[in-house]
Amino acid sequence: MTLAQDSAARTAVVTGASSGIGAATARQLAAAGFRVVLTARRKDRIEALAAELTAAGHQALAYPLDVTDRAAVETFASTLGACHVLVNNAGGALGADPVASGDPAQWLRMYETNVLGTLHVTQCLLPALTASGDGTVVVLTSTAGHATYEGGAGYAAAKHAEHVLAETLRLEIVGQPVRVIEVAPGMVKTEEFSLTRFGGDEAKADKVYAGVAEPLTAEDVAETITWAVARPSHVNIDLLVLRPRAQASNTKVHREL
Ligand code: 8X3
């Protein structure tokens, strides 16, 4: 399979594009005129979204990919062709246990998906992003990448590391034609984030948003990413933190219960 195409459209790769923020970002970048390449492990989902976008007159392709599989990411990069924007969205949280009882396997998995996944894809696509003459790397971290909360250590540690990756990369490639944008959302209600975190336990997942008037939506975050990517190329949105109005900090949330 080759993803190279003759097209005047700029190419945007979105990881974790099968649902939530990734899918919403792919939709909005496509609407903004990008040729979008949707990657995620779940082939059926990204193929359905690519078909939906194509039927709507956009340019969209699906490429099944596990960002933790270095060899697969290298193969993807070698077939991609031009790349102007990379949105590192794949990742997520597993568990909310205290440090005293947290599961090391969950900590490791969160490091692998959030940090090493972003590392693999960014390393492998950086040559194409640089060759584009005007590349953008977006790293979707979290407010958990900037402060912690009880029960959040494993996720916060991974997101802090991902934040450091973004900040360090920006220092290292200054002078090259690639921007590094970090978007750090707080409470976002998507169909899967909390459900995955709590192993499919709907009651626990729902409790996260209990009484919160309007958590952010995937579309809110996608709009923010698309806005940052659409700034003139000399403007670098280093870090953009967004939260719902009801959330003043990671630990201060207004709930109407
Ligand atoms: C998600 C934000 O507060 O659930 O990235 O850690 S939080």
Side-chain angles (χ1 to χ4, degrees):
M1 179 178 184
T2 177
L3 296 173
Q5 276 194 348
D6 287 335
S7 167
R10 287 157 55 81
T11 295
V13 171
V14 181
T15 69
S18 52
S19 71
I21 294 169
T25 301
R27 281 199 173 90
Q28 293 197 18
L29 288 174
F34 284 93
R35 167 183 173 255
V36 289
V37 179
L38 317 173
T39 75
R41 285 172 301 175
R42 290 176 295 183
K43 185 171 184 275
D44 54 338
R45 285 208 176 209
I46 53 173
E47 283 183 345
L49 179 52
E52 176 199 314
L53 293 172
T54 303
H58 303 306
Q59 293 188 66
L61 290 163
Y63 188 101
L65 184 67
D66 176 351
V67 296
T68 67
D69 181 342
R70 177 66 182 220
V73 174
E74 285 175 1
T75 301
F76 168 61
S78 70
T79 59
L80 181 63
C83 181
H84 303 82
V85 174
L86 164 62
V87 180
N88 285 295
N89 162 73
L94 292 174
D97 300 307
V99 172
S101 58
D103 179 354
Q106 289 187 330
W107 281 55
L108 181 61
R109 186 68 191 148
M110 286 189 280
Y111 197 88
E112 283 172 345
T113 54
N114 293 283
V115 189
L116 296 182
T118 295
L119 179 69
H120 292 319
V121 182
T122 303
Q123 282 186 339
C124 293
L125 296 194
L126 205 48
L129 289 158
T130 307
S132 78
D134 181 13
T136 299
V137 177
V138 177
V139 180
L140 189 85
T141 62
S142 165
T143 48
H146 297 268
T148 191
Y149 53 91
E150 291 143 297
Y155 180 60
K159 285 299 187 185
H160 274 70
E162 201 181 353
H163 157 67
V164 167
L165 183 161
E167 195 170 56
T168 308
L169 178 64
R170 192 181 303 114
L171 293 170
E172 291 170 349
I173 64 173
V174 68
Q176 296 178 36
V178 181
R179 301 181 290 189
V180 181
I181 296 172
E182 178 183 350
V183 175
M187 183 183 284
V188 186
K189 189 172 183 182
T190 63
E191 71 265 43
E192 290 186 323
F193 177 82
S194 288
L195 210 52
T196 302
R197 180 171 209 167
F198 294 107
D201 186 326
E202 285 189 21
K204 281 188 181 169
D206 288 348
K207 210 172 159 201
V208 172
Y209 313 103
V212 179
E214 285 180 285
L216 295 178
T217 64
E219 287 70 30
D220 292 327
V221 182
E223 264 175 30
T224 303
I225 292 170
T226 304
W227 173 83
V229 166
R231 292 311 86 214
S233 61
H234 69 286
V235 178
N236 198 138
I237 307 297
D238 280 9
L239 168 64
L240 205 157
V241 177
L242 67 156
R243 301 181 193 267
R245 194 173 60 195
Q247 185 183 30
S249 81
N250 290 6
T251 53
K252 180 81 177 173
V253 179
H254 178 69
R255 297 180 192 270
E256 288 168 11
L257 294 169

Coordinates of all heavy atoms in Angstrom, one line a residue, residues 184-223:
A184 N -2.8 21.1 25.7 CA -2.9 20.4 27.0 C -4.4 20.6 27.5 O -4.6 21.6 28.2 CB -1.9 20.9 28.0
P185 N -5.3 19.6 27.2 CA -6.6 19.8 27.7 C -6.8 19.3 29.1 O -6.1 18.3 29.6 CB -7.5 18.9 26.7 CG -6.5 18.3 25.8 CD -5.1 18.5 26.3
G186 N -7.8 19.9 29.8 CA -8.2 19.3 31.1 C -9.3 18.3 30.9 O -9.2 17.4 30.1
M187 N -10.4 18.5 31.6 CA -11.5 17.5 31.6 C -12.3 17.6 30.2 O -12.9 18.5 29.9 CB -12.5 17.8 32.7 CG -13.6 16.8 32.8 SD -14.8 17.2 34.1 CE -13.9 16.7 35.5
V188 N -12.1 16.5 29.5 CA -12.8 16.3 28.2 C -13.6 15.1 28.3 O -13.2 14.0 28.7 CB -11.8 16.1 27.1 CG1 -12.5 16.1 25.7 CG2 -10.7 17.2 27.1
K189 N -14.9 15.2 28.0 CA -15.8 14.0 28.0 C -15.9 13.4 26.6 O -16.5 14.0 25.7 CB -17.2 14.4 28.5 CG -18.0 13.2 28.8 CD -19.4 13.6 29.4 CE -20.1 12.3 29.7 NZ -21.4 12.6 30.3
T190 N -15.2 12.3 26.4 CA -15.3 11.6 25.2 C -15.9 10.2 25.4 O -16.0 9.8 26.6 CB -13.9 11.4 24.5 OG1 -13.1 10.6 25.4 CG2 -13.3 12.7 24.2
E191 N -16.2 9.5 24.4 CA -16.9 8.2 24.6 C -16.0 7.1 25.3 O -16.5 6.2 25.9 CB -17.6 7.7 23.3 CG -16.6 7.2 22.3 CD -16.3 8.2 21.2 OE1 -16.0 9.4 21.5 OE2 -16.2 7.8 20.0
E192 N -14.7 7.3 25.1 CA -13.8 6.2 25.6 C -12.8 6.5 26.6 O -12.3 5.6 27.3 CB -13.1 5.7 24.3 CG -14.0 4.9 23.4 CD -13.2 4.3 22.2 OE1 -12.2 4.8 21.8 OE2 -13.6 3.2 21.9
F193 N -12.4 7.8 26.8 CA -11.2 8.1 27.6 C -11.4 7.5 29.1 O -10.5 6.7 29.5 CB -10.9 9.6 27.7 CG -9.8 10.0 28.6 CD1 -8.5 9.9 28.2 CD2 -10.0 10.3 29.9 CE1 -7.4 10.2 29.0 CE2 -9.0 10.6 30.8 CZ -7.7 10.6 30.3
S194 N -12.4 7.9 29.7 CA -12.6 7.4 31.1 C -13.0 5.9 31.2 O -12.6 5.2 32.1 CB -13.6 8.3 31.9 OG -13.0 9.6 32.1
L195 N -13.8 5.5 30.2 CA -14.2 4.1 30.2 C -12.9 3.2 30.0 O -12.8 2.2 30.7 CB -15.1 3.9 29.0 CG -16.2 2.8 29.1 CD1 -17.0 3.0 30.3 CD2 -17.1 2.9 27.8
T196 N -12.0 3.6 29.2 CA -10.8 2.8 29.1 C -10.0 2.9 30.3 O -9.4 1.9 30.8 CB -9.9 3.4 27.9 OG1 -10.7 3.4 26.7 CG2 -8.6 2.7 27.7
R197 N -9.9 4.1 30.9 CA -9.1 4.3 32.2 C -9.6 3.3 33.3 O -8.8 2.8 34.0 CB -9.3 5.7 32.6 CG -8.5 6.0 33.9 CD -8.4 7.5 34.2 NE -7.2 7.8 34.9 CZ -6.8 9.0 35.2 NH1 -7.4 10.0 34.7 NH2 -5.6 9.1 35.8
F198 N -10.9 3.1 33.3 CA -11.5 2.3 34.4 C -11.9 0.9 33.9 O -12.8 0.3 34.4 CB -12.7 3.0 35.0 CG -12.2 4.3 35.8 CD1 -12.5 5.5 35.3 CD2 -11.5 4.2 37.0 CE1 -12.1 6.7 35.9 CE2 -11.1 5.3 37.6 CZ -11.4 6.6 37.1
G199 N -11.2 0.5 32.8 CA -11.4 -0.9 32.4 C -12.9 -1.3 32.0 O -13.3 -2.4 32.2
G200 N -13.6 -0.3 31.5 CA -15.0 -0.5 31.0 C -16.0 -0.3 32.1 O -17.2 -0.6 31.8
D201 N -15.6 0.1 33.3 CA -16.6 0.3 34.4 C -17.3 1.6 34.2 O -16.8 2.7 34.5 CB -15.8 0.3 35.7 CG -16.7 0.4 36.9 OD1 -17.8 1.1 36.8 OD2 -16.4 -0.2 38.0
E202 N -18.5 1.6 33.7 CA -19.3 2.8 33.3 C -19.6 3.7 34.5 O -19.6 4.9 34.4 CB -20.6 2.4 32.6 CG -20.3 1.9 31.2 CD -21.6 1.8 30.4 OE1 -22.6 2.4 30.8 OE2 -21.6 1.0 29.4
A203 N -19.9 3.1 35.7 CA -20.2 3.9 36.9 C -19.0 4.7 37.3 O -19.1 5.9 37.6 CB -20.6 2.9 38.0
K204 N -17.8 4.1 37.3 CA -16.6 4.9 37.6 C -16.3 5.9 36.6 O -15.9 7.0 36.9 CB -15.4 3.9 37.7 CG -15.3 3.1 39.0 CD -14.0 2.4 39.1 CE -14.0 1.6 40.4 NZ -12.8 0.6 40.4
A205 N -16.5 5.6 35.3 CA -16.2 6.5 34.2 C -17.2 7.7 34.3 O -16.8 8.9 34.2 CB -16.4 5.8 32.9
D206 N -18.5 7.4 34.6 CA -19.4 8.5 34.7 C -19.2 9.5 35.9 O -19.4 10.7 35.8 CB -20.9 7.9 34.8 CG -21.3 7.3 33.5 OD1 -20.7 7.6 32.5 OD2 -22.3 6.6 33.5
K207 N -18.6 8.9 36.9 CA -18.4 9.7 38.1 C -17.4 10.8 37.9 O -17.4 11.9 38.5 CB -17.8 8.7 39.2 CG -18.2 9.2 40.6 CD -17.8 8.1 41.6 CE -17.7 8.8 43.0 NZ -16.9 8.1 44.0
V208 N -16.5 10.6 36.9 CA -15.5 11.6 36.6 C -16.2 12.9 36.2 O -15.7 14.0 36.6 CB -14.6 11.1 35.4 CG1 -13.7 12.3 35.0 CG2 -13.8 9.9 35.9
Y209 N -17.3 12.8 35.5 CA -18.0 14.0 35.0 C -19.2 14.4 35.8 O -20.0 15.3 35.4 CB -18.4 13.8 33.5 CG -17.2 13.2 32.7 CD1 -17.2 11.8 32.4 CD2 -16.2 14.0 32.3 CE1 -16.1 11.3 31.7 CE2 -15.1 13.4 31.6 CZ -15.1 12.1 31.3 OH -14.1 11.5 30.6
A210 N -19.5 13.7 36.9 CA -20.7 13.9 37.6 C -20.9 15.3 38.1 O -20.0 15.9 38.7 CB -20.7 13.0 38.9
G211 N -22.0 15.9 37.7 CA -22.4 17.3 38.1 C -21.6 18.4 37.4 O -21.8 19.6 37.7
V212 N -20.7 18.0 36.5 CA -19.9 19.1 35.8 C -20.8 19.5 34.6 O -21.2 18.7 33.8 CB -18.6 18.5 35.3 CG1 -17.8 19.6 34.5 CG2 -17.8 18.0 36.4
A213 N -21.1 20.8 34.7 CA -22.1 21.4 33.7 C -21.7 21.1 32.3 O -22.5 20.5 31.5 CB -22.3 22.9 33.9
E214 N -20.6 21.4 31.9 CA -20.2 21.2 30.5 C -18.7 20.9 30.4 O -17.9 21.8 30.2 CB -20.4 22.5 29.7 CG -21.9 22.8 29.3 CD -22.1 24.0 28.5 OE1 -21.9 25.1 29.1 OE2 -22.3 23.9 27.3
P215 N -18.4 19.6 30.5 CA -17.0 19.2 30.2 C -16.6 19.6 28.8 O -17.5 19.7 28.0 CB -17.0 17.7 30.4 CG -18.3 17.4 31.0 CD -19.2 18.4 30.7
L216 N -15.3 19.7 28.5 CA -14.9 20.0 27.1 C -15.4 18.8 26.3 O -15.5 17.6 26.8 CB -13.4 20.1 27.0 CG -12.8 21.3 27.7 CD1 -11.2 21.3 27.5 CD2 -13.3 22.6 27.2
T217 N -15.6 19.0 25.0 CA -15.9 17.9 24.1 C -14.6 17.7 23.2 O -13.7 18.5 23.1 CB -17.1 18.3 23.2 OG1 -16.7 19.4 22.4 CG2 -18.3 18.6 24.0
A218 N -14.7 16.6 22.5 CA -13.6 16.3 21.5 C -13.5 17.4 20.5 O -12.4 17.8 20.1 CB -13.8 14.9 20.9
E219 N -14.7 17.9 20.1 CA -14.7 19.0 19.1 C -14.1 20.2 19.6 O -13.4 21.0 18.9 CB -16.2 19.3 18.7 CG -16.8 18.2 17.8 CD -17.1 16.9 18.6 OE1 -17.3 16.9 19.9 OE2 -17.0 15.8 18.0
D220 N -14.2 20.5 20.9 CA -13.6 21.7 21.5 C -12.1 21.6 21.3 O -11.4 22.6 21.0 CB -13.9 21.9 23.0 CG -15.4 22.2 23.3 OD1 -16.0 22.9 22.5 OD2 -15.8 21.7 24.3
V221 N -11.5 20.5 21.6 CA -10.1 20.3 21.6 C -9.6 20.3 20.1 O -8.6 20.9 19.7 CB -9.7 19.0 22.3 CG1 -8.1 18.9 22.2 CG2 -10.2 19.0 23.7
A222 N -10.4 19.6 19.2 CA -10.1 19.6 17.8 C -10.0 21.0 17.2 O -9.2 21.3 16.4 CB -11.1 18.7 17.1
E223 N -11.0 21.8 17.6 CA -11.0 23.2 17.1 C -9.7 23.9 17.5 O -9.2 24.7 16.8 CB -12.2 23.9 17.7 CG -13.4 24.0 16.8 CD -14.6 24.6 17.5 OE1 -14.4 25.5 18.4 OE2 -15.7 24.2 17.2

